[in-house]
Amino acid sequence: MKNPKITRKISQGVYILTTKGGGCVVDAVSRASAGEQPLFTVAIAKTNHSHQLLQDNDRFALSVLGEKSNPDTIQTFGFCSSKDVDKFANCETDEIEGVPVVKNTLGYMVFEKVDAIDADTHTIFIGRMIEADVTQDEAPMTYAYYQEHKDDLVKTTTAKGETAWVCKVCGYVYYGDEIPDDYRCPLCGLGKEYFIKKG
């Protein structure tokens, strides 16, 4: 793979996926059908804890991030694991159709899971929309916008004496003196050679 940064040119949105127990930031979202209850797909890396949560739950939600979204929300859902952190303790949510939905976003869509398709490093989950609303009329955040403004949206902070390694592609932060040779980024799946040492 010569330059995976080409994926930043793909026009797609950035969302917070939530379900019971946690959630994560996602961008691989696509509408798959039309009608009053359209089908949507979302791809989740198998190494992500939210992958297990989606396998265990029948419903999930997507909250649409805007260009003015709170960077703390992106930090919480994008760079922490639900295995270690109660992400809902760090942001305001509403429960809609039994699913926690992040407040202060442009809007939300709630889905009933109808299928899951194996896709190598990811699983493509298919959901039927059962509820949705627009809560703010502002510019949505695209993946390209996120990559262009990533340094402002996500600040890498470390405790004294702690080393951080930042993925050049997605911005995920790994903490530790060294990265294991077989390590794969839990967000984008790339190896240790894509991480830059910080601090």
Side-chain angles (χ1 to χ4, degrees), residues 4 8-9 12 20 32 36 41 44 49 64 72 75 78 82 99 105-106 124 129 138 141 145-146 154 169:
R8 300 178 188 179
K9 303 299 182 183
Q12 55 197 34
K20 288 183 180 178
E36 291 186 5
T41 66
I44 304 293
H49 181 61
V64 182
D72 291 341
Q75 180 79 32
S82 298
V99 181
T105 59
L106 304 191
I124 299 171
M129 184 190 294
E138 295 180 4
M141 183 182 296
Y145 178 93
Y146 168 79
V154 180
V169 175

Side-chain angles (χ1 to χ4, degrees), residues 147-163:
Q147 289 295 340
E148 185 178 347
H149 298 87
K150 184 167 57 181
D151 290 342
D152 294 325
L153 291 168
V154 180
K155 301 293 185 183
T156 303
T157 57
T158 61
K160 186 176 181 180
E162 193 172 22
T163 301

Side-chain angles (χ1 to χ4, degrees), residues 165-168 174 178-185 189-197:
W165 301 81
V166 182
C167 178
K168 298 187 291 189
Y174 174 89
E178 295 292 337
I179 301 180
D181 289 340
D182 60 350
Y183 184 77
R184 291 283 170 183
C185 177
L190 295 177
K192 66 176 288 185
E193 64 271 21
Y194 288 94
F195 282 75
I196 301 172
K197 187 175 182 179

Side-chain angles (χ1 to χ4, degrees), residues 18-23 76-77 85-93 100-102:
T18 50
T19 189
K20 288 183 180 178
T76 296
F77 282 89
V85 175
D86 179 1
K87 297 185 179 184
F88 300 128
N90 297 326
C91 71
E92 293 185 89
T93 60
V101 174
V102 177

Side-chain angles (χ1 to χ4, degrees), residues 6-77:
I6 187 61
T7 59
R8 300 178 188 179
K9 303 299 182 183
I10 297 173
S11 180
Q12 55 197 34
V14 182
Y15 312 84
I16 296 177
L17 180 146
T18 50
T19 189
K20 288 183 180 178
C24 62
V25 173
V26 295
D27 59 82
V29 173
S30 180
R31 182 171 175 164
S33 74
E36 291 186 5
Q37 292 185 307
L39 296 175
F40 276 71
T41 66
V42 57
I44 304 293
K46 294 176 181 177
T47 54
N48 194 315
H49 181 61
S50 294
H51 182 273
Q52 184 62 51
L53 294 177
L54 272 182
Q55 288 186 317
D56 295 341
N57 290 294
D58 293 328
R59 291 184 176 182
F60 63 94
L62 292 171
S63 298
V64 182
L65 290 173
E67 292 181 357
K68 299 179 182 178
S69 291
N70 187 342
D72 291 341
T73 303
I74 298 171
Q75 180 79 32
T76 296
F77 282 89

Side-chain angles (χ1 to χ4, degrees), residues 128-147:
R128 185 180 304 282
M129 184 190 294
I130 58 173
E131 185 61 73
D133 199 7
V134 176
T135 55
Q136 296 179 28
D137 186 16
E138 295 180 4
M141 183 182 296
T142 64
Y143 185 64
Y145 178 93
Y146 168 79
Q147 289 295 340

Side-chain angles (χ1 to χ4, degrees), residues 95-109:
E95 185 167 307
I96 300 173
E97 297 290 340
V99 181
V101 174
V102 177
K103 296 176 69 172
N104 300 316
T105 59
L106 304 191
Y108 64 85
M109 298 169 280

